[in-house]
Amino acid sequence: MRTIGLLGGLSWESTVIYYQIMNQRVRERLGGSHSAQSLIWSFEFKKFEDLIFAGRWDEVGALLGEAGQKLQGLGADTLLICSNTFHRVADQVAESVTVPVLHIADAVGAEIRDQGMRRIGLLGTRFTMEGTFYRDRLAAHGFEVLIPEDEQRLFIDRVIFDELVRGVLKESSREAYAEIVAGLAAKGAEGVILGCTEIELLLDNKDTAIPVFPSARLHAEAAVDFALHAAVPDRAVAA
């Protein structure tokens, strides 16, 4: 079994999902008391939150790259950045190490492609919804990405940073997110990507009329495929 290196704590609330899903999937596939062989570097999130809001992305990439090098030195055979937003610096991290960095948008994109969908909604931080680094990667899988209106994007972003990364789950926010998903469905979205790993703490398929794609879970499952020497999604390694 290959060793999975997790760049986590971005935030730790969703890094828990990675650890749980990886271990569950390995046990399901191998049986008995098997579990995932993994290493976790968990960052202090507030430091990174301050950096991204100050636009200091080069520093973010350098810090993630340094941690990636340390995990590689400890024996990690692949790295996962446990966040959609921080994939803005995925290429910088990949240049810092020699092991593959499995890209979250490729894990999600492969699943959507397998479902045969062509128009997909995207929820996430404003960095993710409005930036090109994520949507362009998804577009390479052959489908159109729809994002919410500006005021809705502001609301989604505020809930993520003021509530979800702090472990606060409000029913009013769940209902508002579900309404936003319904609006994307009305515009033709066949499904919606939960493109912030914390959103899947709040929302799942029972809350929406169209399927949701939980990015952290799909990313973790792609890592297990890699760890067990199975094929990984097309383009899953950061360039």
Side-chain angles (χ1 to χ4, degrees):
M1 184 188 303
R2 292 167 172 159
T3 300
I4 303 166
L6 301 177
L7 295 169
L10 303 167
S11 68
W12 72 261
E13 297 284 347
S14 62
T15 303
V16 172
I17 296 173
Y18 279 85
Y19 188 70
Q20 181 180 49
I21 292 298
M22 290 190 319
N23 285 292
Q24 287 177 344
R25 296 297 178 266
V26 169
R27 184 170 59 191
E28 289 167 3
R29 291 170 65 167
L30 300 183
S33 57
H34 285 286
S35 60
Q37 189 163 284
S38 63
L39 299 164
I40 302 176
W41 188 283
S42 190
F43 293 100
E44 203 283 274
F45 182 65
K46 182 62 167 64
K47 176 179 182 179
F48 282 80
E49 187 177 45
D50 291 343
L51 286 173
I52 64 175
F53 280 106
R56 293 160 62 182
W57 286 97
D58 285 345
E59 292 178 55
V60 170
L63 289 168
L64 290 178
E66 289 170 9
Q69 290 171 357
K70 292 174 182 177
L71 289 179
Q72 179 176 323
L74 290 169
D77 297 301
T78 186
L79 296 177
L80 275 69
I81 302 170
C82 300
S83 161
N84 290 273
T85 297
F86 287 88
H87 273 73
R88 177 165 171 167
V89 295
D91 289 347
Q92 188 176 347
V93 175
E95 291 169 0
S96 302
V97 296
T98 58
V99 297
V101 178
L102 300 187
H103 201 291
I104 194 168
D106 292 334
V108 175
E111 178 66 19
I112 295 168
R113 189 178 63 233
D114 288 347
Q115 297 288 334
M117 295 182 182
R118 290 292 174 264
R119 302 189 82 192
I120 195 78
L122 173 64
L123 306 185
T125 66
R126 285 180 67 92
F127 301 109
T128 299
M129 290 185 288
E130 297 175 1
T132 59
F133 72 95
Y134 198 87
R135 289 186 288 131
D136 286 354
R137 191 92 180 196
L138 290 170
H141 288 271
F143 43 79
E144 179 185 358
V145 180
L146 306 178
I147 60 173
E149 300 296 329
D150 185 61
E151 287 188 8
Q152 294 174 326
R153 297 198 299 271
L154 285 169
F155 173 77
I156 293 166
D157 190 79
R158 182 186 62 76
V159 168
I160 290 168
F161 286 104
D162 291 351
E163 299 174 20
L164 301 184
V165 301
R166 304 179 186 191
V168 177
L169 305 176
K170 294 183 179 180
E171 185 60 31
S172 58
S173 296
R174 187 193 325 275
E175 292 172 354
Y177 270 42
E179 289 180 9
I180 292 170
V181 172
L184 290 171
K187 293 179 180 179
E190 301 166 86
V192 65
I193 299 167
L194 305 185
C196 169
T197 52
E198 287 82 15
I199 294 178
E200 55 205 86
L201 298 168
L202 182 71
L203 201 69
D204 61 30
N205 278 311
K206 73 178 186 303
D207 302 307
T208 60
I210 57 176
V212 300
F213 293 89
S215 56
R217 294 171 188 271
L218 293 169
H219 201 198
E221 289 169 354
V224 170
D225 284 342
F226 182 89
L228 298 181
H229 297 250
V232 296
D234 292 346
R235 290 173 45 84
V237 180

